[in-house]
Amino acid sequence: MSALTPVPPREWTVPPSDVLLADGSIAVIRTLRPEDRQPLLDLHAGVSADTLRLRFFTASRDAARRYVEHLFDETNADSAAMVAVVRGRVAGIATAEVTDPERAEVAFLVSDEDHGRGLGILLLEHLAALGRAHGLTRFEAEVLGHNYGMLRVFRGAGFAVSRRTADGEVSVELRTDVSAAALDAADRREWRSEARSLRPLLAPASVAVVGVRRHGGGLGRAVLDAIRSGGYTGRLSVVHPEADAVDGVPAYASVSAVPDPVDLVVVVVPADQVPDVMADACAAGVGAAVVVSSGLTGGAQTAAGRDLLALCRAHSVRLVGPNSQGVIALGRDGALNASFARTLPGPGGLAVATQSGGVGFTVLDLARGQGVGVHSFASLGAKLDVSSNDLLAAWGEDETVTVAALYLESFGNALKFARTARRFAERKPLLAVVAGRSVAGSVGVSALFAQAGVIPCRGGADIAETAAVLTQQPLPGGFRIGVLSNAGGMGVITAGMAEGEGLSVPVLSPGLQDRLRDVLPLVGAANPLDLGAEVSPASVQAAVRLVLESGEVDAAVVTLVPTTLGDPVALRRAAAAAALDTGLPVVVVASDAEPGDPAPGLTVFRTPLVAVLALARAMRYAAWRRVSADDAPPADHARSAAARAWVAARQAGHGGAPERLPAVAAAELLTPYGVQLVGLPARGGTAAGAAAETIGWPVVVKVSDPDVPAKSDRGLVRVGLGSTAAVVEAVQDFAAELDVPPDEVDVRVQPVVTGVELAVSVVRDETYGPLVRVAAGGVAGDLLRDEVHLLAPVAPSDAARALRGLRTWPLLDGVHGHERVDVDALEALVVAAGRLAADVPQLALLDLDPVVARPDGVHCVDVKVLLEPAEAPDAGVPRRLRPPSSG
């Protein structure tokens, strides 16, 4: 071990964390306690000689004992230790011996019986978080070359690692900061663990219902009847204190008395009986529980809620509820309906999680009406344990789930949800409704959804309709649609609605129009296409196929008005057949359509607006998917440290009070991030004139003091000045307005820059952290509210998506013969703003407005920066289940 350098003593205590192991069971990771001495001695005494040799480079039990005693030596103030506790047993330990203020030597030991459960990596994640909190930036370790398990831990954790090998030993050094790779690796492990952890809930081989009346009636009996009528093929039992059977289902006095293992227990008893029932279920070894019982108000905020959660966690039981309306699983392992849903859709790929059972059942009913099959459903209730994050992780690993939908009333951990949702959406669509959003909350939610690829919906109907397109049609390849109808007026209406949603209804090429007229007696062929009232099914199929195969559109909307001149069902099915022929999406509008027409390839809606809105959501999601996913650029440690030190010094000079930075100081902060302000600073008229000569005419001159309000209204901005005399006169006028001597007026002199105006800014949100806003600039931008928000830091792909999501995008991309602006430079500016916001938590406001985008680059014309005291958050929270205090 390296010689220790004295450093100030640290407080190495953090709250315990419940964690999921690789097999889906639950353990606790916490800092070392005095009562751990004997359990640690037992741990070291219980491992094999080989394990001891790999840890201590010797098989000496005495060396292991001495090391344990060293950890409890009161003079050893700078050794951090964390233990993993499995079912009350200390199963692993990680230690960090501080060698200098930024480094520590680390070591790990896991019991032989717990190898392969992921304890080593979990201990490393939590030890790294503890180290970061105390300023440790690097961990070092000496590992025997054949200790492959420990080397896999260091390599697999995702931290930046360097290795040196000599004489059969490997010297490992890793950074403790959390990179995108570390987060990605941790999230992947968590998804696999969640899938295993929730299998007893989502695919139970056996179910027991507690709280069923012997002679009918009541909530418990409703759940039992739903399970039986739903076709569940697993083992089903009832817990009843007196009966041997309830309506033919075997009954037992307790869960423990059920002779076969129980995967899932459904609890429908009065609230005061829930603790005893759950204690019995946990002792029986159940894997999951759905607590329908209400009356346990306050959830994890109450002692009863915390006790119930602690009981379940101690026995590796995943809990849905309390106040849940049940769960449904219609996957490949059989049908389970343990809910109060009256009518179920058929099996399919839609998975639904909801905090409101009523909203969830509405979604299921609407999905059934649209012919959308369901994979699973969970009414989360009070969210004491299982949350939408947990379910998304499990569904992400299940290839039979093709789309997920959420109804949320709160976020327990918004940033964790953003990461989980994005990982899910990169693979399959995610629809969501967030209830009761305030205006401020809407901005944060919108930013989260836009960046994570979540498809925002207004309610259950939006979910069901969009899910119909996403589950029944391929993803669109663009925003161009062809509109075909057997009634010209309806085609025109449909096309207008599509354009109103930002979709393109292009005029078809003359060649395509000629080909269409060769095979069809069209009334109109430009787009929308008027097929005529007497069109046959064969002609519908031929027309849709020709339009889709042309390469001129990405999808088709076929509006069919029911008349006595044709068979409406045959016409709809002909349109669906064209979709199957081409592999491109087609939606049909038919006011007479019956819900859930089972024709292959058919997605039908009763109104054009619903069809257009659903297709537009699918198109926007597909566009998000088409932008290659990447990670935010890693922090430049030297740059971020310099920026934080600069800000700390600046705040110290102002007594810690908030400060609006002058333009010169703002430039000092922004320049290292590649953000250059247009023009030159100057003080007084003579210097301003010299700056103008350097820049070239004409120029803009403005007062640069950030504490001067309403500069334009007070005449403190002059545009288009063409001579030195005009510049000097402007500065003199500024001095008169401000009542200061002319040679004390600070100004910025800039060239006149024209182009597409935008605004790039950063604000901080208590829930979501720093948000980067990208918006159309100028008065029109304020009126149109053409803006998007992103969570910081920002990946280049997110910046690209954000810009393409603006209604202003065609101006940036070059429209009607205009030259395309330097989009790469604009994306880089958005990324830089996000990086600065992530590096400097004291950045309360950054406002670059206007930013003028031109083919030769982007020009930041004006800047506002506000610094306020703030704590630096730990961006790399290690993997853990939701703590009891979270919402």
Side-chain angles (χ1 to χ4, degrees), residues 4-12 75-80 96-99:
L4 301 185
T5 302
V7 293
R10 297 169 168 89
E11 177 58 54
W12 295 110
T75 65
N76 180 31
D78 243 353
S79 288
E97 303 274 0
V98 178
T99 56

Side-chain angles (χ1 to χ4, degrees), residues 663-689:
V664 172
E668 290 181 27
L669 179 62
L670 295 171
T671 298
Y673 288 83
V675 180
Q676 302 288 341
L677 303 184
V678 171
L680 297 171
R683 169 169 281 200
T686 301

Side-chain angles (χ1 to χ4, degrees), residues 717-730:
V717 179
R718 299 289 175 86
V719 180
L721 304 183
S723 68
T724 301
V727 171
V728 172
E729 181 183 356

Side-chain angles (χ1 to χ4, degrees), residues 222-272:
V223 171
L224 180 64
D225 289 345
I227 295 173
R228 297 180 70 194
S229 63
Y232 179 63
T233 57
R235 298 187 302 274
L236 178 62
S237 56
V238 169
V239 173
H240 192 283
E242 300 172 353
D244 294 326
V246 174
D247 202 17
V249 178
Y252 305 91
S254 65
V255 180
S256 300
V258 178
D260 297 312
V262 175
D263 282 342
L264 174 65
V265 60
V266 183
V267 180
V268 198
V269 299
D272 59 351

Side-chain angles (χ1 to χ4, degrees), residues 257-326:
V258 178
D260 297 312
V262 175
D263 282 342
L264 174 65
V265 60
V266 183
V267 180
V268 198
V269 299
D272 59 351
Q273 297 178 26
V274 170
D276 289 340
V277 169
M278 285 306 304
D280 171 48
C282 289
V286 303
V290 175
V291 177
V292 176
S293 311
S294 59
L296 293 165
T297 57
Q301 308 302 323
T302 66
R306 289 191 294 271
D307 289 347
L308 179 58
L309 181 59
L311 173 69
C312 292
R313 294 271 173 89
H315 291 81
S316 295
V317 175
R318 301 309 304 270
L319 173 69
V320 173
N323 201 27
S324 168
Q325 299 294 297

Side-chain angles (χ1 to χ4, degrees), residues 700-844:
V700 177
V701 181
K702 64 182 70 172
V703 170
S704 60
D705 186 342
D707 293 322
V708 175
K711 294 184 180 71
S712 296
D713 294 341
R714 297 173 63 184
L716 300 178
V717 179
R718 299 289 175 86
V719 180
L721 304 183
S723 68
T724 301
V727 171
V728 172
E729 181 183 356
V731 174
Q732 291 173 342
D733 291 345
F734 295 166
E737 171 66 22
L738 298 172
D739 195 21
V740 297
D743 59 356
E744 294 183 10
V745 178
D746 288 318
V747 298
R748 193 163 192 89
V749 184
Q750 300 174 318
V752 175
V753 182
T754 59
V756 181
E757 288 191 12
L758 299 106
V760 177
S761 57
V762 172
V763 295
R764 290 206 171 257
D765 183 276
E766 290 185 2
T767 301
Y768 304 98
L771 298 175
V772 179
R773 173 180 175 265
V774 185
V779 176
D782 292 337
L783 293 175
L784 293 173
R785 300 287 294 175
D786 185 15
E787 62 184 22
V788 292
H789 293 79
L790 299 165
L791 304 181
V794 178
S797 60
D798 292 327
R801 291 184 182 112
L803 293 175
R804 286 155 180 80
L806 294 171
R807 290 194 291 275
T808 313
W809 169 249
L811 295 176
L812 302 172
D813 195 33
V815 67
H816 299 315
H818 291 278
E819 195 173 354
R820 191 176 195 260
V821 308
D822 188 345
V823 173
D824 291 344
L826 191 53
E827 291 172 359
L829 177 64
V830 175
V831 172
R835 185 70 264 169
L836 176 63
D839 287 350
V840 181
Q842 299 91 339
L843 184 69

Side-chain angles (χ1 to χ4, degrees), residues 341-416:
R342 186 173 186 87
T343 307
L344 294 183
L350 174 64
V352 181
T354 174
Q355 286 183 248
S356 164
V359 172
F361 295 148
T362 300
V363 169
L364 293 180
D365 195 50
L366 292 168
R368 181 179 60 84
Q370 285 296 152
V372 177
V374 169
H375 173 280
S376 50
F377 165 88
S379 167
L380 299 174
K383 284 203 311 184
L384 196 61
D385 175 31
V386 174
S387 70
S388 55
N389 280 347
D390 301 312
L391 288 164
L392 285 179
W395 289 334
E397 290 292 295
D398 188 340
E399 69 274 10
T400 62
V401 173
T402 57
V403 59
L406 308 176
Y407 171 79
L408 303 172
E409 295 173 354
S410 64
F411 291 105
N413 183 331
L415 298 183
K416 172 72 175 293

